[in-house]
Amino acid sequence: GVFPLGVGDRLLQKSSAGFDVSVPEFFWPLTVGATVRLIRPGGDKDVEYLAGILSSEPVGFVEFVPVVFQAIVATGFDPASSRLRHLSLGADVLPTGLARSLEGSGINVWNTYGPTEAAVETVGFALKDFDPEGETVPIGRPVWNTSVVVLDSWLRP
């Protein structure tokens, strides 16, 4: 993970156990003495339910696909008034409008990406470095202990 997680922190585990991101959601908090907040079965498909947890509970860490987080915000959830401290948005394009709406929220937001075959997170971009005039949000640079090679259409670096 790209965030400093430790004793006293709470991470929302909302991914299906068959999905790659569930592995760090389940085990990362347990390796550092943090709390794992489990959701009810099927709760990952209920944005009102997820918004309620994020609004009323001391969840500081969460990872979402951008479109799901955008739907949570559309329920009226205000990230700036929540207890969220670290938010990872990944696996899909992060819309610039959503990125701009998170400016000044006080939340450490990262745009992350990683193909399942390589790792859950391979590259990351801190939203604090985003140019609000930019047309797209970069996917970032390789995370710790990772390298990335960009290939052309002939699979050459």
Side-chain angles (χ1 to χ4, degrees):
V2 294
F3 305 124
L5 185 68
V7 175
D9 291 323
R10 183 179 297 232
L11 184 140
L12 183 64
Q13 194 294 317
K14 46 78 192 130
S15 299
S16 164
F19 187 46
D20 62 348
V21 82
S22 72
V23 175
E25 284 181 348
F26 280 122
F27 296 109
W28 179 35
L30 300 178
T31 65
V32 296
T35 300
V36 178
R37 172 34 165 114
L38 301 174
I39 62 169
R40 70 176 186 225
D44 59 320
K45 295 169 185 58
D46 185 344
V47 293
E48 294 278 346
Y49 168 71
L50 294 169
I53 291 171
L54 295 175
S55 294
S56 64
E57 296 186 25
V59 171
F61 295 73
V62 71
E63 181 166 1
F64 282 108
V65 174
V67 69
V68 172
F69 192 72
Q70 203 162 23
I72 290 170
V73 171
T75 68
F77 168 70
D78 177 15
S81 66
S82 72
R83 295 188 202 168
L84 273 180
R85 293 188 4 247
H86 303 283
L87 170 64
S88 177
L89 298 169
D92 202 354
V93 174
L94 175 53
T96 54
L98 179 57
R100 288 181 188 120
S101 75
L102 291 165
E103 283 186 286
S105 67
I107 301 169
N108 181 12
V109 183
W110 279 75
N111 186 29
T112 60
Y113 176 75
T116 301
E117 299 79 11
V120 174
E121 293 171 350
T122 307
V123 293
F125 178 79
L127 211 57
K128 67 179 178 53
D129 298 328
F130 176 59
D131 175 3
E133 302 300 317
E135 292 184 33
T136 60
V137 180
I139 61 169
R141 299 187 180 277
V143 296
W144 177 83
N145 201 28
T146 304
S147 63
V148 174
V149 177
V150 179
L151 305 176
D152 66 14
S153 59
W154 293 278
L155 301 179
R156 298 176 304 203

